[in-house]
Amino acid sequence: LEDLCQHAGSLDLQSEGQELVVSFLWSFGTLHWVPSGAGLLVKLLRRAEALIEEFGAHRTVRLLTALAKLSSEVPPSGEGKASTALVSLAAALAGNVAILADRMSAQEVGIASWALATLQPRGWKKVLRALFERSQSVMEDFNWWSIAHIEYASWRLAAAGKGAEGSLLEALSERCVLEAERVRQESDAFQDGPAQAVAELAPWASTEGLAPGARVLVFGPGRCVRRALRSWGAEVVPWKRFAVGRYAGAATQAWPPEGPFDACALRYPDSADAFELALHAAAASLPPGAPLWVYGDIREGALSATRVLRGLFELKHAIKERGDARIFIAHRGQAEARAPLGVWARTSAIDLGSGAQEWTSFPGLFAAGLLDVMTGFLLERLAGAAEAGDALWSTRKRPHCLDFACGTGVLAAGLLRHLPRARLCLLDADAVALEAARQNLPSAEAVVLSDGLAGLADAIGGDGADGAAVAPLFDLIVTNPPVHRGHPDDLRVLLRLLVEAPAWLAPGGELWLVAQEHIPVGRLFALAARELPPPAARLVVTQALPTADGRFVAWRASLEANAEASAAGALPAKRPQKARSTAAASSAEAPVPNAANQANGPRKRPRQGGASADAGVDGAEPAAATGKRRRGAAGT
């Protein structure tokens, strides 16, 4: 890249048109990288400004987006030609947006609002007002990215003076309801498609040497597959890596139940690493020649299954196609499977601020089970609050903390650096991730395998005098939450957390989370509040802390009992006092509402009586109170 850019910098760009200039800057923004030396970048920025009157809405927005992403890579204003050129171009593009706002699409309005709020060029507030007016006309075309971008711009504007009108935020909330439902339906259809395809094909019925009564291992979700196999006469043994529903169930475990099995049906997971682990686990319990049916979607990489199958299994049939679903029929080969789970452990070193420490992970985990940039940013913001002492959890001797969707425990381990005596509870839906978390944090008081917070009462609660489950309350809940379910987007885990978390927070307790800028977290807080009408305690956002380039936002929320805030969830334009957290020093804050932080003493929760959605099929029993995990929505 450096060589290419050095060559390009030697060329005369003054005769180049829009496409080359925009493509270069867009590429730099996408990479979050600029070439060493300012020569080429300055040439491109100046050439773009010279062409400014030729840019339509699409290229104007692309350039604004690129500049916003580059803003953290270029020295601050006044420290060089590149910075001066970037500031000048950003102001010129803002003028373009003001002229073109009435012609912009919904997605262009959203991304332009985010970019302007991140860059804050001359005149940005007035231009944002024009985009907010345009939003009302294109609201029905907003996707959830656009909703999040408009909201982001609103609270950045609020931090600088006055935010969007409550009517716009309320309209965004209503649109978010529809978008969340659309995303849910698309996620369900994506998950169900391959399973329905293999159930209809029923390859077991035509497999030579396999007869009713065969013992078949079924990996992953797919109720219709299990039903079809049982209908054919198989003895079905389910195995799930991820907990689904209120109870994890006996089928949810990191390694499959004891074999041997006569055959296996395996849902392709969301990564090649996770597939390889599952494939070896299944192969370890299958005799030579045993059939394997792999089914998945090409959009999640299912076609790569052929590469991983080699050696362990032999493909003897053509790949079956049903829309985007693919079905592979193979037979167990002679190669030895890697087993048990322990041989898959990966040991690395991570530095959470106190020097390198040994860290265990397994294949198929988010960020390879190590420290990712979003978790690192959240830890920085938490450290600022802890040092400032402006949170109740930071002043307690032994605060009770929950790491929700903990993965391998990176976030919880980072907390211990500032809260060395914290009582930790780790919760995830992934049984494999929790195996690593147990090794990384042996001091944790509880490790819970659960799809959401539902499993906490049975895992760590005791029995009250009236037989109700009484569980400890948390001073702090932290999370880098999943916003995907495998490959597709899915906001259900996050929304459910915002609804259920107030019941698990102690008086004065807080929830801290981090998300990408295109996740409509503020609107999800608003929707959660609708499900918790007064007098129920609910969460109120007190700070929203973005990164310098606007890519991620750390959200801080506290309990507010009998909250008077509108269910629309508009952030108040004024705050009662200046927040003392040093974490906010370099980031714009969302306005902080008056938080009552009143919770009425210990609360009792009735035992969860519902079984998993799969209980009727698999006979899942409530999971034991030790090793539990997060939901199968991949995001963390």
Side-chain angles (χ1 to χ4, degrees), residues 385-403:
E387 292 167 6
D390 67 350
L392 187 60
W393 51 264
S394 66
T395 62
R396 297 205 175 202
K397 290 184 178 179
R398 297 201 67 202
H400 197 199
C401 305
L402 168 66
D403 183 353

Side-chain angles (χ1 to χ4, degrees), residues 176-270:
C176 192
V177 172
L178 300 176
E179 273 298 290
E181 176 61 18
R182 179 189 64 80
V183 169
R184 182 195 68 78
Q185 292 179 5
E186 289 182 357
S187 175
D188 287 346
F190 185 95
Q191 295 296 332
D192 294 343
Q196 292 171 351
V198 76
E200 293 170 5
L201 183 64
W204 41 84
S206 58
T207 298
E208 185 178 351
L210 194 69
R215 194 165 186 248
V216 180
L217 177 68
V218 180
F219 171 77
R223 182 186 303 183
C224 58
V225 176
R226 296 188 290 274
R227 284 178 173 169
L229 278 163
R230 288 194 179 99
S231 178
W232 174 71
E235 177 192 345
V236 173
V237 180
W239 168 39
K240 302 176 184 177
R241 174 171 167 169
F242 290 90
V244 178
R246 291 191 176 275
Y247 294 115
T252 309
Q253 52 194 60
W255 202 251
E258 186 175 352
F261 302 101
D262 300 307
C264 176
L266 194 153
R267 173 66 160 91
Y268 188 89
D270 62 338

Side-chain angles (χ1 to χ4, degrees), residues 6 20 34 60 153 190 214 225 231 254 256 258 264 294 386 433 450 468 481 483 535 539 567 576 597 622:
Q6 184 176 359
L20 181 140
V34 293
T60 294
F190 185 95
V225 176
S231 178
E258 186 175 352
C264 176
V294 177
S450 178
V483 291
L539 290 167
N597 287 341

Side-chain angles (χ1 to χ4, degrees), residues 114-432:
W114 168 79
L116 285 171
T118 298
L119 290 166
Q120 300 186 2
R122 183 177 66 252
W124 69 283
K125 298 177 188 177
K126 183 176 181 181
V127 180
L128 271 184
R129 289 290 176 198
L131 289 174
F132 288 169
E133 290 182 13
R134 176 61 176 165
S135 296
Q136 302 286 8
S137 302
V138 296
M139 183 68 67
E140 64 180 19
D141 295 324
F142 273 176
N143 58 22
W144 55 282
W145 286 49
S146 303
I147 294 167
H149 287 148
I150 293 293
E151 181 185 47
Y152 172 96
S154 173
W155 55 257
R156 291 301 294 259
L157 192 59
K162 184 179 179 182
E165 299 298 327
S167 59
L168 174 59
L169 293 173
E170 187 172 355
L172 289 174
S173 292
E174 295 301 328
R175 182 63 193 168
C176 192
V177 172
L178 300 176
E179 273 298 290
E181 176 61 18
R182 179 189 64 80
V183 169
R184 182 195 68 78
Q185 292 179 5
E186 289 182 357
S187 175
D188 287 346
F190 185 95
Q191 295 296 332
D192 294 343
Q196 292 171 351
V198 76
E200 293 170 5
L201 183 64
W204 41 84
S206 58
T207 298
E208 185 178 351
L210 194 69
R215 194 165 186 248
V216 180
L217 177 68
V218 180
F219 171 77
R223 182 186 303 183
C224 58
V225 176
R226 296 188 290 274
R227 284 178 173 169
L229 278 163
R230 288 194 179 99
S231 178
W232 174 71
E235 177 192 345
V236 173
V237 180
W239 168 39
K240 302 176 184 177
R241 174 171 167 169
F242 290 90
V244 178
R246 291 191 176 275
Y247 294 115
T252 309
Q253 52 194 60
W255 202 251
E258 186 175 352
F261 302 101
D262 300 307
C264 176
L266 194 153
R267 173 66 160 91
Y268 188 89
D270 62 338
S271 74
D273 278 356
F275 175 61
E276 186 175 17
L277 173 61
L279 194 66
H280 278 261
S285 296
L286 291 173
L292 169 77
W293 310 291
V294 177
Y295 48 100
D297 193 293
I298 57 174
R299 291 169 290 179
E300 58 189 342
L303 290 177
S304 66
T306 55
R307 174 181 55 81
V308 183
L309 283 167
R310 291 194 186 107
L312 278 180
F313 291 87
E314 299 175 4
L315 279 169
K316 296 183 178 179
H317 306 272
I319 299 173
K320 309 296 183 182
E321 299 183 9
R322 294 290 190 278
D324 288 327
R326 296 295 183 271
I327 302 165
F328 306 85
I329 303 174
H331 295 266
R332 180 71 171 97
Q334 298 295 329
E336 184 177 354
R338 292 177 61 193
L341 179 65
V343 304
W344 291 85
R346 298 171 175 174
T347 303
S348 306
I350 64 170
D351 188 348
L352 297 171
S354 302
Q357 63 184 96
E358 191 174 276
W359 202 255
T360 298
S361 65
F362 288 96
L365 299 181
F366 172 68
L370 304 176
L371 178 64
D372 66 284
V373 63
M374 292 173 62
T375 298
F377 176 65
L378 180 58
L379 284 172
E380 290 175 8
R381 301 286 78 96
L382 285 162
E387 292 167 6
D390 67 350
L392 187 60
W393 51 264
S394 66
T395 62
R396 297 205 175 202
K397 290 184 178 179
R398 297 201 67 202
H400 197 199
C401 305
L402 168 66
D403 183 353
F404 177 87
C406 65
T408 61
V410 174
L411 190 48
L415 272 182
L416 285 179
R417 180 168 174 255
H418 304 283
L419 304 171
R421 300 190 63 198
R423 300 163 53 210
L424 293 179
C425 177
L426 310 177
L427 182 148
D428 204 288
D430 184 353
V432 173

